[in-house]
Amino acid sequence: MEIRIRSRFSALSICAVLALAGFAMLASGMPHVGWIAWPALALTLLGVRDLFQTRHSIRRNYPILGNLRFFFEFIRPELRQYIVESDTEAKPFSRNQRSVVYQRAKKELDKVPFGTQLDLYEAGNEWITHSIAAAPVQPHDFRVPVGGSGCALPYSASVFNISAMSFGALSANAILALNRGARDGGFAHDTGEGGISRYHRENGGDLIWEVGSGYFGCRSPEGRFDPQRFAQEARQPQVKMIEIKLSQGAKPGHGGVLPAAKVSAEIAKARGVPPRVDCISPATHGEFSTPIGLLEFITRLRELSGGKPVGFKLCIGHPWEFFAIAKAMRASGVTPDFIVVDGAEGGTGAAPAEFVDHVGMPLQEGLLLVHNTLVGLNLRERIRIGASGKVISAFDIARTLAIGANWCNSARGFMFALGCVQAQHCHLDTCPSGVATQDPLRMRAIVVPNKAERVASFHRNTLKALAELIAAAGLTHPSQLRPHHIVQRVSHNDVRLLSEVLPFVKPGSLLEGERTGSYPHRAYETWWPKARAESFQPA
């Protein structure tokens, strides 16, 4: 169900008018109709209070009317699932997942009564195995060192960070709150491909600078990569890592267009493009066209940045293309410092429906392919792997790390922490919570100090829950998680460890396959011999 409100302040305006009219009637000696002045005045005062309170963005944007959401949530908390979930055919988040985000962001009790709300005998359900000899719960600031031997400035990354969301897709206040929360919580904020804006810089939180095919922020007037502009930005102390975006999960293989009407002077300055002109992000990069070329570009960016970790992000498509990159690593001896695998579950502000539903490999399969390939080449210890795609809860993180990732990124989780209600108006510039809009009146709903605290709190409490999960499993650090720690129900009467359900390869098995012709999986048997370091096209 979608409710359209032509004027966000209509209820407040009507109540104010009724209050004035009611008092006028009372003064004219008409108490039988003038009584309406008192309830109208009460509602008007409530609306004024809503406008100036700093806790709830919906009430700031929809005075009086916004209280209905919290009223229904108060009398029946499970309605939160329906209040924040719009009609969509996409797989919804569970009530527990969504509620826990809000509770952890607001520092409320994140415990659930009445036991499990899942059908434990439904195929696909998963759980982490626990130990009788549970380990002590460790301090939960879990870190991952990123940066190989070629890095003069390696980075110690949190295992949970803010995924790529650009200024332009998100409002200025949303960027300010996210970055301040990242600063306060000691984790990283991915800029998205829209460049580094003054809102990213203002609070000084750690940045992962995403460089997309539009080269926004390091772009020449002709739209090419500008090495001088890149070096100037990349050497800023706030920038900790450089991420080359090859593709994203929500619309892999599809370029982006920010319409001219949304390219404000501020967005144009951040992206290095003319204002009020369509801002086009091509589907492919112009600085390289081969796997070897990609690795040469990585080396170039590492040198220009002064030795910071450089990697790339992609949603896996043709398997032979990633195999070609892996072969280029062997041929050149050059490896990225990290690879971020974005699953097809990943979200976006706008994408064609067919791309959202039918293009790109899901996170589990994409992560497995990348992890297994690096293991099979004995390169896994040299390259860190990040993962993104509907990762929200501590269990999501634990499961993703167990099957091969070193850290996780989340977009939706941190948007929920900001107050996103999934109205799905991101592309219309009418976001009711002020998160995904450039309308200054709507974005004022986000009070930066308040929302930044929620961002940091969501991160902190999620990692605290992760610490408790791994302690229950008898472990002391998330890096110790393995596929045999996660159990999956495959049918009503059959459960298996992920190590039995999913295909994992042995170290060096691809090298062995090249010698013997016997590969560990049919995908490698079919495509590995045809992949070429010199081209993304198979032989």
Side-chain angles (χ1 to χ4, degrees):
M1 182 178 66
E2 183 180 4
I3 301 174
R4 296 187 181 275
I5 302 174
R6 292 186 179 274
S7 172
R8 292 176 288 125
F9 306 111
S10 57
L12 176 58
S13 302
I14 291 170
C15 288
V17 169
L18 288 176
L20 291 173
F23 283 117
M25 291 174 186
L26 288 174
S28 302
M30 294 186 288
H32 57 289
V33 289
W35 64 267
I36 199 171
W38 298 109
L41 176 61
L43 288 174
T44 301
L45 294 175
L46 174 64
V48 171
R49 180 176 180 272
D50 288 341
L51 277 175
F52 292 99
Q53 57 81 37
T54 60
R55 182 170 173 80
H56 299 294
S57 54
I58 293 295
R59 286 170 56 198
R60 281 172 69 84
N61 263 342
Y62 295 90
I64 301 176
L65 291 176
N67 289 278
L68 293 174
R69 174 180 187 268
F70 300 98
F71 172 73
F72 288 123
E73 187 177 312
F74 171 76
I75 61 173
R76 192 176 178 190
E78 64 267 29
L79 285 176
R80 175 178 283 167
Q81 174 185 5
Y82 306 104
I83 292 169
V84 302
E85 181 181 301
S86 55
D87 292 340
T88 175
E89 295 180 3
K91 183 180 178 181
F93 293 105
S94 72
R95 169 159 55 94
N96 276 358
Q97 271 188 315
R98 198 187 316 275
S99 297
V100 163
V101 173
Y102 294 132
Q103 289 162 349
R104 288 176 178 161
K106 297 177 182 180
K107 293 186 279 191
E108 297 174 354
L109 186 66
D110 62 348
K111 303 299 184 283
V112 179
F114 295 108
T116 182
Q117 297 166 18
L118 298 175
D119 178 358
L120 295 180
Y121 289 89
E122 181 182 0
N125 280 339
E126 295 175 327
W127 60 91
I128 188 169
T129 56
H130 67 279
S131 171
I132 292 175
V137 177
Q138 300 296 313
H140 51 271
D141 184 23
F142 301 121
R143 317 297 295 188
V144 178
V146 185
S149 58
C151 278
L153 298 169
Y155 179 56
S156 179
S158 171
V159 298
F160 191 43
N161 302 290
I162 301 172
S163 197
M165 295 180 283
S166 300
F167 171 53
L170 299 191
S171 68
N173 282 13
I175 295 294
L176 285 168
L178 287 173
N179 193 257
R180 181 167 169 174
R183 181 201 69 189
D184 294 347
F187 54 101
H189 177 194
D190 193 311
T191 65
E193 69 171 310
I196 304 173
S197 69
R198 67 185 181 94
Y199 304 109
H200 290 96
R201 294 188 179 94
E202 185 170 318
N203 290 308
D206 289 354
L207 294 177
I208 300 172
W209 182 15
E210 184 177 272
V211 177
S213 55
Y215 305 116
F216 302 128
C218 54
R219 177 184 175 100
S220 71
E222 298 76 30
R224 304 285 297 183
F225 174 73
D226 185 331
Q228 291 184 334
R229 291 196 63 194
F230 172 82
Q232 183 179 2
E233 292 277 18
R235 289 176 181 260
Q236 296 295 321
Q238 192 180 354
V239 176
K240 303 301 182 182
M241 301 200 297
I242 314 297
E243 177 184 279
I244 302 168
K245 175 190 164 185
L246 301 182
S247 59
Q248 70 180 92
K251 47 183 178 182
H254 189 282
V257 177
L258 190 64
K262 294 190 70 174
V263 185
S264 65
E266 282 190 313
I267 292 173
K269 184 177 179 180
R271 298 194 175 202
V273 298
R276 305 304 174 188
V277 175
D278 286 344
C279 181
I280 300 174
S281 175
T284 58
H285 279 261
E287 290 300 303
F288 56 87
S289 59
T290 66
I292 291 287
L294 168 61
L295 297 180
E296 290 173 346
F297 190 55
I298 287 173
T299 301
R300 189 181 180 196
L301 297 192
R302 193 182 286 134
E303 293 170 351
L304 289 169
S305 67
K308 293 181 179 179
V310 179
F312 60 86
K313 178 179 87 171
L314 82 168
C315 177
I316 295 294
H318 297 318
W320 62 82
E321 293 181 344
F322 183 75
F323 295 165
I325 296 173
K327 283 192 171 183
M329 295 179 200
R330 286 182 61 205
S332 66
V334 176
T335 54
D337 296 294
F338 64 92
I339 299 171
V340 175
V341 181
D342 200 15
E345 306 94 322
T348 184
E354 292 81 2
F355 277 76
V356 169
D357 293 333
H358 302 293
V359 182
M361 193 176 288
L363 176 58
Q364 174 178 282
E365 286 69 26
L367 176 57
L368 276 172
L369 185 134
V370 171
H371 173 72
N372 279 338
T373 301
L374 298 180
V375 169
L377 294 176
N378 291 331
L379 292 175
R380 184 63 183 85
E381 294 304 315
R382 294 172 57 180
I383 302 169
R384 299 289 184 259
I385 298 178
S388 54
K390 280 193 176 180
V391 177
I392 289 184
S393 71
F395 179 76
D396 295 335
I397 298 171
R399 184 191 190 279
T400 306
L401 298 187
I403 63 175
N406 294 109
W407 81 81
C408 294
N409 297 330
S410 176
R412 244 172 290 215
F414 286 101
M415 288 179 71
F416 290 160
L418 288 175
C420 169
V421 295
Q422 283 191 287
Q424 296 190 353
H425 286 194
C426 313
H427 60 306
L428 302 175
D429 206 36
T430 56
C431 172
S433 58
V435 174
T437 178
Q438 298 304 311
D439 183 337
L441 288 178
R442 288 181 180 273
M443 75 173 71
R444 70 170 286 279
I446 295 180
V447 180
V448 172
N450 175 273
K451 300 303 183 185
E453 183 179 357
R454 292 188 182 185
V455 167
S457 178
F458 168 57
H459 176 270
R460 179 175 60 254
N461 289 322
T462 301
L463 289 194
K464 180 181 177 183
L466 178 63
E468 293 172 343
L469 269 183
I470 64 170
L475 309 175
T476 58
H477 194 278
S479 62
Q480 298 169 333
L481 285 162
R482 296 293 182 269
H484 63 260
H485 289 117
I486 307 295
V487 183
Q488 183 180 96
R489 179 173 293 283
V490 296
S491 69
H492 185 77
N493 59 353
D494 187 15
V495 299
R496 298 184 186 180
L497 303 176
L498 281 191
S499 56
E500 299 173 329
V501 174
L502 302 178
F504 291 91
V505 307
K506 295 179 180 179
S509 58
L510 278 179
L511 301 176
E512 180 69 20
E514 289 181 335
R515 290 192 296 269
T516 65
S518 177
Y519 289 94
H521 189 273
R522 63 179 180 273
Y524 295 108
E525 183 177 336
T526 303
W527 295 114
W528 184 260
K530 298 180 180 181
R532 299 181 294 157
E534 301 79 18
S535 175
F536 286 113
Q537 298 300 320

